[in-house]
């Protein structure tokens, strides 16, 4: 039985069946004629299968409010074999799923509740050419208070003159259709939900917006508590890919929780963030890599995850692997790419995620063309996506 669109069906044994929905076929239609398009078209009748190659980035936030139950259920129904909870903490040091400790003003209704008084920066209306502003943090509220908030699509209206207006601003390539009934998640709740959905786990330890230690809660306490919640839930380390942009977190897990540290993922943001341990890098110049790929491998790092554009470049009208990708492969590092389907229609070059192949990006079909190079030439182990059905479809079609 082939499921093409609509709500997921239920098999005779009571298990939920997967669905690609209409988007993969739509993107295939946008592709230029060629061997890849023909191959993907030939798979239009295939039955969806879950795959670890497809990773839900905050669930499926292209159309569902990120880090909510509905977003992750949607990602799982699209066949994502691994789901993500970005982890931060509340005032009472409980772990919750949010992309950043200070994003409550754009991802929840906090500004129109009594908890608005807890915001670090109260809502300030747009005036005299200045955009409206606000900043609200999970670290300023308790877990009990966090549970009272209602999630929404990550957005804000820059021209807002009231807190109610500020709730708007959803990007035109997203939608508010699937917000109703969404619920926020603690990290512990995400573990139970993902397991129930048949998915594995890739939690990201987010940098704190507050100074650490926070009321005695150290960075090491934070990193350890993340692991402890998987241990308490009896989740095998082989099903968990811990993530952090901070190399010191990765090294902590490698040294103190080696079974979990084996699959710890070093998220690479050295294109913009660097310190005494990490230097600014050019993906096409190996001499700028600090640490080098081999040095990372020697530290015990096995997984490296940069943004999409760092893994590829444009050469003679083709998408090809970057120097960064080749060096990582030579050092034996597993690569994971982020994040597909985050840049809208791709009719304007694709922005940040497609910057290294801007001259070859001419519409939504480029998603599959990039995926093919990442899988076949770069050899990535998985791809994060805001709409996992696209990656699932490709992986299923190619037998990944």
């Amino acid at each position: 039985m082939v499921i093409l669109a609509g709500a997921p069906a239920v098999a005779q044994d009571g298990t939920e069946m997967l669905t690609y929905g209409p988007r993969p076929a739509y993107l295939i239609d946008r592709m230029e004629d060629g061997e890849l398009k023909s191959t993907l078209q030939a798979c239009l009748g295939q039955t969806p299968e879950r795959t670890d190659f497809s990773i839900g980035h905050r669930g499926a936030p292209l159309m569902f409010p990120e880090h909510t139950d509905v977003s992750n259920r949607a990602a799982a129904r699209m066949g994502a074999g691994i789901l993500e909870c970005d982890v931060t903490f509340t005032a009472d040091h409980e772990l919750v799923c949010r992309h950043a400790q200070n994003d409550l003003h754009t991802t929840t209704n906090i500004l129109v509740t009594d908890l608005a008084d807890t915001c670090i920066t109260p809502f300030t209306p747009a005036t005299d050419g200045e955009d409206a502003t606000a900043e609200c943090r999970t670290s300023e509220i308790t877990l009990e208070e966090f549970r009272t908030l209602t999630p929404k699509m990550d957005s804000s209206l820059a021209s807002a003159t009231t807190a109610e207006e500020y709730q708007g601003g959803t990007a035109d390539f997203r939608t508010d259709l699937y917000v109703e009934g969404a619920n926020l998640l603690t990290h512990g709740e995400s573990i139970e939900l993902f397991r129930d959905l048949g998915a594995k786990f890739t939690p990201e330890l987010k940098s704190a917006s507050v100074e650490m230690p926070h009321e005695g809660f150290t960075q090491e306490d934070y990193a350890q508590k993340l692991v402890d919640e998987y241990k308490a839930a009896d989740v095998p380390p082989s099903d968990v890919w811990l993530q952090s942009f901070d190399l010191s977190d990765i090294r902590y897990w490698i040294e103190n929780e080696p079974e979990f540290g084996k699959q710890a993922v070093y998220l690479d943001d050295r294109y913009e963030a660097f310190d005494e341990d990490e230097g600014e890098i050019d993906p096409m110049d190996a001499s700028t890599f600090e640490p080098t790929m081999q040095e990372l491998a020697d530290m015990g790092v096995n997984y490296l995850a940069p943004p999409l554009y760092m893994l590829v470049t444009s050469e003679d009208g083709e998408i090809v692997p970057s120097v960064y990708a080749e060096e990582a492969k030579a050092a034996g590092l597993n690569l994971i790419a982020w994040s597909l389907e985050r840049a809208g229609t791709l009719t304007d070059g694709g922005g940040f995620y497609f910057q290294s192949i801007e001259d070859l990006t001419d519409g939504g079909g480029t998603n599959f063309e990039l995926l093919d190079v990442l899988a076949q030439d770069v050899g990535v182990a998985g791809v994060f996506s805001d709409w996992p059905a696209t990656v699932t479809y490709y992986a299923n079609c190619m037998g990944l």
Side-chain angles (χ1 to χ4, degrees), residues 3-70:
I3 308 300
L4 296 178
V10 176
Q12 290 182 350
D13 63 2
T15 59
E16 192 172 272
M17 298 181 70
L18 306 184
T19 173
Y20 295 126
R23 185 157 179 79
Y26 171 82
L27 293 178
I28 293 168
D29 288 344
R30 308 277 79 72
M31 296 175 66
E32 294 183 3
D33 290 340
E35 182 178 353
L36 178 60
K37 182 175 182 177
S38 296
T39 298
L40 293 172
Q41 284 177 324
C43 293
L44 285 172
Q46 68 186 358
T47 300
E49 295 182 8
R50 193 176 312 283
T51 170
D52 290 351
F53 189 80
S54 180
I55 308 171
H57 180 240
R58 316 183 203 178
L62 182 66
M63 294 191 182
F64 294 81
E66 65 184 41
H67 290 309
T68 61
D69 54 350
V70 296

Side-chain angles (χ1 to χ4, degrees), residues 258-293:
E259 290 304 305
F260 285 90
K262 287 178 185 177
Q263 293 187 164
V265 182
Y266 174 36
L267 298 167
D268 199 346
D269 64 351
R270 289 177 290 169
Y271 56 87
E272 66 172 6
F274 41 92
D275 53 29
E276 64 273 11
D277 297 324
E278 305 161 294
E280 184 176 14
I281 66 173
D282 175 350
M284 295 302 293
D285 184 355
S287 69
T288 67
F289 298 177
E290 182 186 348
T292 67
M293 298 300 184

Side-chain angles (χ1 to χ4, degrees), residues 103-392:
D103 74 359
L104 292 180
H105 51 290
T106 62
T107 62
T108 75
N109 68 334
I110 191 170
L111 288 175
V112 293
T113 73
D114 293 341
L115 291 174
D117 292 340
T118 69
C119 294
I120 294 295
T121 302
F123 171 74
T124 303
T127 183
D128 297 328
E130 297 293 325
D131 290 345
T133 58
E135 182 184 351
C136 308
R137 300 176 178 175
T138 60
S139 53
E140 301 302 310
I141 61 176
T142 65
L143 176 59
E144 182 179 359
E145 290 170 326
F146 175 80
R147 291 184 185 279
T148 68
L149 298 175
T150 299
K152 69 181 192 69
M153 292 297 284
D154 184 12
S155 64
S156 60
L157 186 63
S159 61
T161 58
T162 66
E164 288 75 14
E165 289 180 345
Y166 193 76
Q167 306 298 292
T170 300
D172 58 9
F173 59 87
R174 296 192 174 120
T175 180
D176 293 314
L177 281 174
Y178 305 109
V179 172
E180 183 180 359
N183 296 288
L184 299 176
L185 295 170
T186 67
H187 176 242
E189 289 167 347
S190 79
I191 294 174
E192 294 307 313
L193 175 63
F194 298 177
R195 180 157 50 192
D196 288 346
L197 293 171
K200 298 174 185 176
F201 315 83
T202 185
E204 179 188 337
L205 196 73
K206 303 301 296 190
S207 297
S209 298
V210 295
E211 185 176 348
M212 298 290 280
H214 179 257
E215 298 179 358
F217 190 59
T218 67
Q219 185 67 25
E220 292 76 16
D221 293 336
Y222 184 23
Q224 187 61 50
K225 185 165 186 172
L226 177 62
V227 174
D228 288 345
E229 294 200 351
Y230 287 96
K231 288 182 171 181
D234 293 323
V235 175
S238 59
D239 285 351
V240 183
W241 286 262
L242 306 173
Q243 304 176 78
S244 178
F245 280 106
D246 190 336
L247 185 56
S248 63
D249 292 334
I250 305 298
R251 300 185 73 170
Y252 173 86
W253 290 320
I254 291 171
E255 294 166 9
N256 295 278
E257 292 288 351
E259 290 304 305
F260 285 90
K262 287 178 185 177
Q263 293 187 164
V265 182
Y266 174 36
L267 298 167
D268 199 346
D269 64 351
R270 289 177 290 169
Y271 56 87
E272 66 172 6
F274 41 92
D275 53 29
E276 64 273 11
D277 297 324
E278 305 161 294
E280 184 176 14
I281 66 173
D282 175 350
M284 295 302 293
D285 184 355
S287 69
T288 67
F289 298 177
E290 182 186 348
T292 67
M293 298 300 184
Q294 190 57 55
E295 287 170 340
L296 287 173
D298 292 343
M299 292 176 196
V301 176
N302 290 316
Y303 287 84
L304 183 63
L308 296 170
Y309 84 87
M310 289 176 64
L311 292 171
V312 294
T313 189
S314 172
E315 186 176 291
D316 298 328
E318 302 289 337
I319 303 173
V320 298
S322 66
V323 171
Y324 179 103
E326 298 289 3
E327 289 286 314
K329 288 170 63 178
L333 296 173
N334 297 292
L335 291 167
I336 298 174
W338 49 271
S339 294
L340 203 72
E341 297 277 47
R342 191 153 185 84
T345 61
L346 306 186
T347 54
D348 59 356
F352 173 82
Y353 294 95
F354 288 76
Q355 60 186 278
S356 62
I357 56 168
E358 180 181 6
D359 57 325
L360 302 178
T361 303
D362 57 2
T366 308
N367 282 298
F368 276 125
E369 294 162 7
L370 175 56
L371 259 178
D372 194 52
V373 173
L374 290 173
Q376 307 301 330
D377 300 327
V378 175
V380 298
V383 178
F384 280 94
S385 179
D386 282 25
W387 199 248
T390 303
V391 180
T392 301

